[in-house]
């Protein structure tokens, strides 16, 4: 480890690059960056927020020269602690580089593609593409909580939009530390920007390139070209997508912070007029048959299909209500600032032994607000255990309605309705408010709840028993089980609210064995972070990108030591 004087020298150099206001060292100031949204925390030497790509390059050079671990962080919306430090057992000081100030988006090729800088958010990208009548890779879920575009690519996130699959590109500009310990800039963006690092970064940030500088190499793609085919193979005995899939690991894609990404180039997608069906049933077999019809028999893939179990519906309706109503009132762009403000308040309250007070106050306020969910959705909640929200292209709506009408005429276990525009929007927003509801439940019931076990799993495409039945000895340790997810690709999020006094880590390891027996892959889309064990393909990808183990060390339960030494 560095001596105190060496550490101070490193901090001075960082201040000289970005200014004192953008180098944070006090624990209270760095708290927002050091703690994961749901999991993980640790100490840092400094949090540095560069204001330009060249500043980021110089910060990176300083950290590497000082033999520091570098953690890259964009929006810090991950759920597995993958962009925060974890624990205090690093063999080198940790410098966390926050890219929030680098929010540039460059629309190229008449809106067919974009180049996104490190701090660009999905929400902002959606707005930038609106005049072109096009959309980014993901417009639901992550865009509601301020997630970054680069974070999605680096973690193979997304996949809720069935035709587009996980975030992926083979066109990126990134820096890595090579096997000789030297920092190098790799320009695989497909744009001619010069030769030196400073020239490349300056030209890119200031968009000082011409149309003929943009290369169009058909061998390099800027989105997943085969996912639409893969997800339709409903009789295959393997999952459609998961983080350790070697075929979807390429340089920045799936890198999980093992390189420093300066920009990615991505395809955009045409906006498609659509409508939403809401399905409720008490039989999981009904949803299996509907899924098979949608993926096998419909001429075009559905746009999205989201599952919510009744328990998740209820927890989301009560404990995700303020998130839902905040987005309704202020829009998704305001969500990151609201989270940051709440984090500051929570930091002060914890100093006085009042952890969780802000959550209790928010929960009390929302309790007295009117019901925010549509009447027909709540009626289906009372009638049915399983809920499926399906977004269908307009030209396929009649065919889907005819199928549902005839199917449920022969089955008394469920029913459906075609949503109004308002109902459809609120149905999807409720599904994604569910994702944070377990956290709020935990933080308002700390006397009863030990913690949350949150699993992110990809089931086999042919799995008809997609709803798990836990062994009684495990089930008895839970207060609630929340099941929800991207149903058409069989990716599920399973949040277990564990009783006080129970070891959540032991529960999680038991769960892993159960998932292995079912042929599931995990994690599916949130990446390993510090929660899951990196499988061989993923670990090999990390080691190839970062041979000296300088970036985001320890993720996937790998070594935290320099040069991947074993402890």
């Amino acid at each position: 480890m560095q001596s105190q004087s060496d550490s101070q020298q490193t901090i001075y150099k960082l201040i000289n690059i970005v200014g004192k206001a953008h180098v944070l060292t006090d624990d209270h100031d760095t708290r927002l960056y050091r703690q994961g949204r749901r999991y993980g925390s640790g100490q840092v030497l400094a949090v540095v927020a560069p204001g330009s790509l060249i500043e980021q390059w110089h910060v990176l050079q300083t950290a590497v020269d000082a033999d520091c671990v570098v953690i890259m962080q964009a929006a810090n919306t991950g759920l597995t602690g993958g962009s925060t430090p974890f624990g205090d057992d690093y063999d080198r000081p940790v410098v966390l580089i926050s890219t929030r100030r680098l929010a540039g988006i460059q629309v190229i090729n008449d809106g067919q593609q974009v180049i996104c800088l490190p701090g660009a958010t999905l929400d902002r990208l959606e707005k930038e593409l609106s005049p072109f009548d096009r959309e980014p890779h993901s417009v639901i879920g992550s865009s509601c909580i301020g997630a970054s575009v680069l974070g999605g690519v680096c973690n193979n996130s997304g996949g809720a939009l069935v035709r587009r699959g996980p975030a992926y590109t083979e066109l990126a500009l990134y820096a890595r530390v090579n096997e000789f310990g030297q920092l190098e800039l790799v320009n695989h963006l497909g744009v001619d920007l010069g030769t030196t690092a400073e020239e490349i970064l300056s030209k890119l940030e200031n968009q000082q390139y011409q149309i003929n500088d943009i290369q169009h190499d058909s061998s390099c793609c800027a989105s997943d070209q085969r996912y639409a085919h893969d997800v339709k193979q409903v009789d295959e005995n393997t999952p459609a997508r998961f983080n350790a899939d070697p075929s979807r690991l390429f340089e920045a894609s799936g890198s999980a912070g093992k390189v420093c990404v300066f920009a990615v180039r991505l395809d955009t997608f045409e906006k498609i007029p659509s409508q939403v069906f809401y399905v409720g049933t008490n039989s999981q077999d009904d949803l299996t048959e509907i899924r098979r019809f949608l993926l096998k028999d419909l001429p075009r893939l559905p746009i999205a299909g989201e599952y919510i179990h009744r328990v998740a519906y209820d927890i989301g309706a009560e404990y995700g209500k303020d998130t839902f109503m905040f987005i309704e009132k202020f829009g998704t762009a305001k969500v990151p600032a609201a989270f940051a403000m709440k984090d500051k308040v929570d930091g002060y309250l914890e100093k006085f032994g009042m952890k969780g007070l802000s959550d209790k106050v928010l929960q009390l306020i929302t309790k007295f607000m009117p019901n925010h969910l549509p009447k027909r959705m709540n009626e289906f909640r009372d009638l049915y255990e399983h809920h499926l929200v399906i977004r269908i292209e307009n030209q396929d709506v009649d065919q889907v309605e005819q199928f549902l009408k005839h199917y449920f005429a022969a089955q008394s276990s469920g029913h459906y309705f075609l949503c109004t525009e308002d109902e459809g929007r609120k149905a999807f927003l409720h599904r994604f408010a569910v994702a944070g509801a377990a956290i709020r439940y935990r933080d308002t019931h700390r006397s009863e709840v030990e913690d949350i076990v949150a699993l992110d799993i990809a089931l086999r495409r042919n799995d008809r028993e997609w709803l798990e039945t836990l062994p009684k000895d495990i089930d008895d340790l839970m207060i609630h089980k929340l099941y929800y997810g991207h149903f058409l690709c069989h990716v599920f999020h399973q949040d277990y609210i564990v009783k006080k006094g129970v070891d959540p880590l032991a529960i999680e390891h038991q769960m892993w064995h159960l998932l292995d027996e079912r042929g599931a892959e995990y994690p599916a889309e949130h990446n390993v972070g510090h929660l899951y064990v990196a499988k061989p393909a993923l670990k090999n990808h990390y080691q190839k990108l970062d041979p000296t183990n300088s970036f985001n060390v320890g993720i996937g339960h790998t070594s935290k030591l320099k040069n991947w030494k074993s402890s």
Side-chain angles (χ1 to χ4, degrees):
M1 294 292 287
Q2 285 184 348
S3 68
Q4 187 171 354
S5 61
D6 287 341
S7 295
Q8 200 60 50
Q9 282 298 314
T10 302
I11 292 169
Y12 286 148
K13 290 177 182 178
L14 295 172
I15 290 172
N16 286 335
I17 297 168
V18 302
K20 190 173 183 178
H22 302 297
V23 178
L24 309 178
T25 57
D26 181 78
D27 279 356
H28 181 76
D29 294 333
T30 61
R31 182 181 185 276
L32 176 66
Y33 305 89
R34 292 186 293 102
Q35 290 192 164
R37 178 66 57 88
R38 180 185 281 170
Y39 180 81
S41 64
Q43 295 301 311
V44 296
L45 175 66
V47 172
V48 189
S52 70
L53 295 184
I54 288 182
E55 283 189 2
Q56 179 165 303
W57 173 252
H58 290 318
V59 166
L60 189 58
Q61 284 181 316
T62 299
V64 171
D65 289 346
D67 198 23
C68 293
V69 168
V70 175
I71 297 177
M72 302 301 303
Q73 184 184 98
N76 193 16
T77 58
L79 302 179
T80 60
S83 61
T84 58
F86 187 78
D88 303 316
D89 56 341
Y90 294 91
D91 64 340
R92 291 153 285 170
V94 176
V95 172
L96 190 154
I97 302 177
S98 170
T99 65
R100 294 188 184 203
R101 298 174 65 205
L102 306 174
I105 294 171
Q106 300 171 10
V107 181
I108 61 173
N109 299 336
D110 299 319
Q112 303 286 314
Q113 290 187 326
V114 290
I115 293 174
C116 292
L117 303 191
T121 64
L122 283 167
D123 178 84
R124 186 67 242 166
L125 180 55
E126 190 175 347
K127 291 179 173 63
E128 291 283 341
L129 290 174
S130 185
F132 298 89
D133 205 30
R134 297 185 72 81
E135 296 176 333
H137 162 268
S138 179
V139 295
I140 55 177
S142 295
S143 56
C144 290
I145 57 173
S148 71
V149 177
L150 264 70
V153 171
C154 292
N155 292 297
N156 290 134
S157 301
L161 296 182
V162 184
R163 303 177 182 188
R164 303 178 192 174
Y168 180 82
T169 186
E170 294 169 0
L171 300 167
L173 173 65
Y174 63 93
R176 66 189 292 264
V177 176
N178 64 26
E179 57 269 32
F180 304 109
Q182 300 165 335
L183 185 65
E184 58 185 23
L185 188 67
V186 180
N187 183 10
H188 289 169
L189 199 60
V191 182
D192 186 359
L193 296 165
T195 54
T196 68
E198 283 78 5
E199 182 185 13
I200 291 169
L201 296 172
S202 177
K203 280 188 174 182
L204 175 62
E205 186 157 28
N206 295 306
Q207 209 163 349
Q208 293 174 336
Y209 53 87
Q210 307 301 316
I211 292 175
N212 57 7
D213 291 324
I214 302 172
Q215 300 149 15
H216 300 278
D217 183 353
S218 60
S219 67
C220 293
C221 57
S223 61
D224 192 322
Q225 300 297 298
R226 60 185 179 82
Y227 179 73
H229 169 269
D230 291 354
V231 76
K232 292 174 71 172
Q233 310 310 305
V234 295
D235 294 312
E236 290 295 318
N237 198 39
T238 55
R241 61 183 174 94
F242 54 97
N243 283 132
D245 181 354
S247 67
R248 291 187 168 98
L249 301 174
F250 187 91
E251 296 183 351
S253 296
S255 61
K258 296 302 286 183
V259 293
C260 172
V261 184
F262 286 85
V264 293
R265 179 173 158 189
L266 297 163
D267 290 332
T268 67
F269 302 87
E270 181 185 359
K271 280 186 179 178
I272 299 173
S274 61
Q275 296 182 60
V276 174
F277 286 93
Y278 199 97
V279 178
T281 179
N282 288 312
S283 169
Q284 66 171 310
D285 291 338
D286 289 347
L287 295 193
T288 295
E289 294 308 315
I290 293 169
R291 172 178 173 267
R292 292 179 66 84
F293 162 76
L294 293 173
L295 295 179
K296 287 185 67 178
D297 301 330
L298 208 60
R300 284 157 291 273
L301 277 171
I303 294 170
E306 295 297 310
Y307 170 75
I308 315 174
H309 186 271
R310 179 188 274 155
V311 174
Y313 185 106
D314 290 346
I315 298 291
E318 184 172 356
Y319 295 92
K321 186 175 181 179
D322 61 325
T323 299
F324 183 107
M325 298 182 80
F326 184 91
I327 293 171
E328 281 278 281
K329 178 74 174 175
F330 300 107
T332 58
K334 301 291 185 183
V335 173
F339 273 117
M341 178 63 73
K342 181 180 179 297
D343 185 82
K344 283 191 174 184
V345 171
D346 288 343
Y348 283 115
L349 292 173
E350 284 183 24
K351 283 186 175 181
F352 297 101
M354 293 185 285
K355 188 174 183 178
L357 180 61
S358 68
D359 291 285
K360 291 178 180 178
V361 170
L362 286 169
Q363 202 56 39
L364 183 64
I365 292 170
T366 56
K367 185 176 182 179
F368 293 101
M369 291 182 176
N371 195 303
H372 59 295
L373 296 177
K375 180 182 177 183
R376 288 200 289 181
M377 280 176 57
N378 285 329
E379 289 173 347
F380 265 44
R381 178 263 165 229
D382 294 339
L383 292 169
Y384 305 117
E385 179 182 2
H386 308 290
H387 298 242
L388 181 63
V389 190
I390 318 165
R391 186 173 292 280
I392 301 293
E393 188 171 338
N394 277 355
Q395 59 183 319
D396 297 324
V397 166
D398 288 344
Q399 185 177 347
V400 172
E401 184 153 33
Q402 286 301 312
F403 171 83
L404 293 174
K405 184 182 294 182
H406 287 121
Y407 182 85
F408 284 118
Q411 303 286 338
S412 60
S413 49
H415 202 37
Y416 76 96
F417 63 85
L418 184 61
C419 295
T420 65
E421 185 177 345
D422 185 63
E423 286 174 328
R425 179 177 52 79
K426 289 184 175 179
F428 274 99
L429 181 51
H430 178 53
R431 152 64 185 90
F432 291 103
V434 167
I439 301 172
R440 170 61 57 78
Y441 187 98
R442 176 197 65 191
D443 291 344
T444 54
H445 295 79
R446 289 193 175 273
S447 62
E448 308 158 30
V449 177
E450 186 65 34
D451 208 341
I452 301 165
V453 171
L455 296 179
D456 162 36
I457 69 170
L459 297 181
R460 295 168 296 155
R461 283 168 281 182
N462 66 351
D463 197 340
R464 290 176 174 269
E465 300 298 323
W466 47 267
L467 187 67
E468 72 177 4
T469 301
L470 288 176
K472 188 175 184 305
D473 62 326
I474 297 179
D475 196 57
D476 287 346
L477 304 177
M478 311 295 182
I479 298 174
H480 293 297
K481 305 184 293 290
L482 281 66
Y483 299 112
Y484 55 97
H486 314 306
F487 187 70
L488 298 183
C489 57
H490 264 195
V491 166
F492 291 88
H493 303 297
Q494 302 182 171
D495 295 346
Y496 307 90
I497 301 175
V498 179
K499 291 178 180 178
K500 197 73 175 177
V502 175
D503 181 357
L505 195 58
I507 292 289
E508 182 158 4
H509 291 170
Q510 288 179 276
M511 294 289 193
W512 292 350
H513 291 302
L514 296 175
L515 292 172
D516 291 339
E517 291 171 3
R518 296 175 67 190
E521 289 282 355
Y522 52 91
E525 63 180 5
H526 289 160
N527 222 320
V528 290
H530 289 280
L531 187 59
Y532 297 93
V533 175
K535 293 188 175 179
L538 206 54
K539 185 177 179 181
N540 289 340
H541 184 53
Y542 297 158
Q543 290 180 319
K544 182 179 178 181
L545 290 173
D546 183 20
T548 63
N549 204 21
S550 298
F551 290 94
N552 208 10
V553 307
I555 58 167
H557 293 224
T558 60
S559 171
K560 284 187 172 182
L561 304 180
K562 191 172 181 179
N563 296 320
W564 299 91
K565 292 178 181 177
S566 58
S567 54

